[in-house]
Amino acid sequence: NAGVTQTPKFQVLKTGQSMTLQCAQDMNHNSMYWYRQDPGMGLRLIYYSASEGTTDKGEVPNGYNVSRLNKREFSLRLESAAPSQTSVYFCASRVQGSTDTQYFGPGTRLTVL
Amino acid sequence: AQSVTQLDSQVPVFEEAPVELRCNYSSSVSVYLFWYVQYPNQGLQLLLKYLSGSTLVKGINGFEAEFNKSQTSFHLRKPSVHISDTAEYFCAVSDSGGSNYKLTFGKGTLLTVNP
């Protein structure tokens, strides 16, 4: 049981390049989330998927797209990377029910030059 | 909409001293409250949560927090800290009546435990 996994762990892009961050969970959770973490800003929600087949914008969606490929996988795409997207990206998933806890992946550290 | 304010961005303490990390929230509806810990270069790990019931919540690693509805606070405490508690701590809130349970995070408090 690996929990939430993210690939890659590190990535360096040039301005204008595109890439997809991958996230998978093996806990049979319905909801999945993408956050970015910047120094002094805490975590801010980019997009989330309440269930397979649905996605919604969070607090900072501009410049990103997402795909909920199936129940396990939720990817985040940067179509044209900008230096302002340099950040650490975390994926999380949530079990519905009484616990309502979000479980986080180890993060992807992205640098855009 | 909810918001979370963590009143201290950094808290330095000596080993074996008590510590309190302060968190206040704002919400027009009932909430769930969480504390997460992030060790250097790692993801976030749940420390404890308040969903309902007893306002004093105990978590892992000897931490506890008290939900105070009138003060809209959820402060985190530990009576005696260890070097290994050095980490960043995040308070978070979600709407207990919502269907998506989005978390709103505070900006974090860096706890540094010195020998």
Side-chain angles (χ1 to χ4, degrees):
Chain A
N1 191 337
V4 180
T5 56
Q6 292 183 236
T7 55
K9 287 185 168 29
F10 301 94
Q11 184 70 49
V12 178
L13 293 178
K14 294 181 180 177
T15 297
Q17 287 185 315
S18 62
M19 79 160 296
T20 299
L21 281 64
Q22 306 287 353
C23 174
Q25 52 92 9
D26 61 1
M27 297 176 282
N28 201 35
H29 290 174
N30 289 321
S31 301
M32 297 185 73
Y33 306 80
W34 275 106
Y35 295 89
R36 60 177 289 172
Q37 182 181 28
D38 303 292
M41 299 294 292
L43 278 79
R44 292 179 292 170
L45 183 65
I46 306 171
Y47 271 92
Y48 67 101
S49 171
S51 61
E52 186 179 354
T54 69
T55 61
D56 285 286
K57 295 178 180 179
E59 183 184 352
V60 288
N62 291 345
Y64 304 96
N65 285 301
V66 290
S67 296
R68 183 74 183 266
L69 305 169
N70 47 55
K71 192 171 186 179
R72 290 187 64 249
E73 298 172 289
F74 188 39
S75 62
L76 178 72
R77 183 160 178 84
L78 286 71
E79 289 292 351
S80 178
S84 60
Q85 294 178 304
T86 293
S87 188
V88 182
Y89 292 85
F90 288 100
C91 177
S93 68
R94 184 183 74 85
V95 60
Q96 286 177 299
S98 61
T99 60
D100 295 301
T101 301
Q102 288 191 18
Y103 294 85
F104 285 79
T108 294
R109 189 174 296 273
L110 175 67
T111 302
V112 183
L113 302 175
Chain B
Q2 294 113 14
S3 66
V4 177
T5 302
Q6 291 185 242
L7 295 155
D8 305 293
S9 59
Q10 297 186 53
V11 174
V13 294
F14 288 109
E15 195 173 16
E16 298 183 7
V19 71
E20 178 179 81
L21 306 184
R22 297 180 293 168
C23 172
N24 285 93
Y25 69 93
S26 173
S27 177
S28 58
V29 297
S30 296
V31 297
Y32 293 156
L33 292 156
F34 304 81
W35 276 100
Y36 281 85
V37 60
Q38 184 180 33
Y39 298 104
N41 299 313
Q42 294 187 26
L44 277 72
Q45 177 184 358
L46 181 70
L47 263 183
L48 49 77
K49 60 189 175 188
Y50 171 80
L51 304 181
S52 64
S54 173
T55 57
L56 182 63
V57 180
K58 294 189 183 298
I60 62 171
N61 300 339
F63 284 93
E64 64 180 34
E66 185 154 21
F67 170 55
N68 187 320
K69 189 174 182 179
S70 63
Q71 301 287 327
T72 60
S73 67
F74 191 55
H75 300 333
L76 181 70
R77 302 184 182 100
K78 186 169 183 178
S80 177
V81 294
H82 302 289
I83 299 283
S84 59
D85 292 322
T86 294
E88 190 152 25
Y89 293 79
F90 293 95
C91 182
V93 63
S94 72
D95 174 4
S96 66
S99 60
N100 294 319
Y101 300 109
K102 293 181 289 182
L103 284 175
T104 299
F105 283 88
K107 294 185 178 181
T109 298
L110 179 62
L111 174 65
T112 303
V113 181
N114 298 301

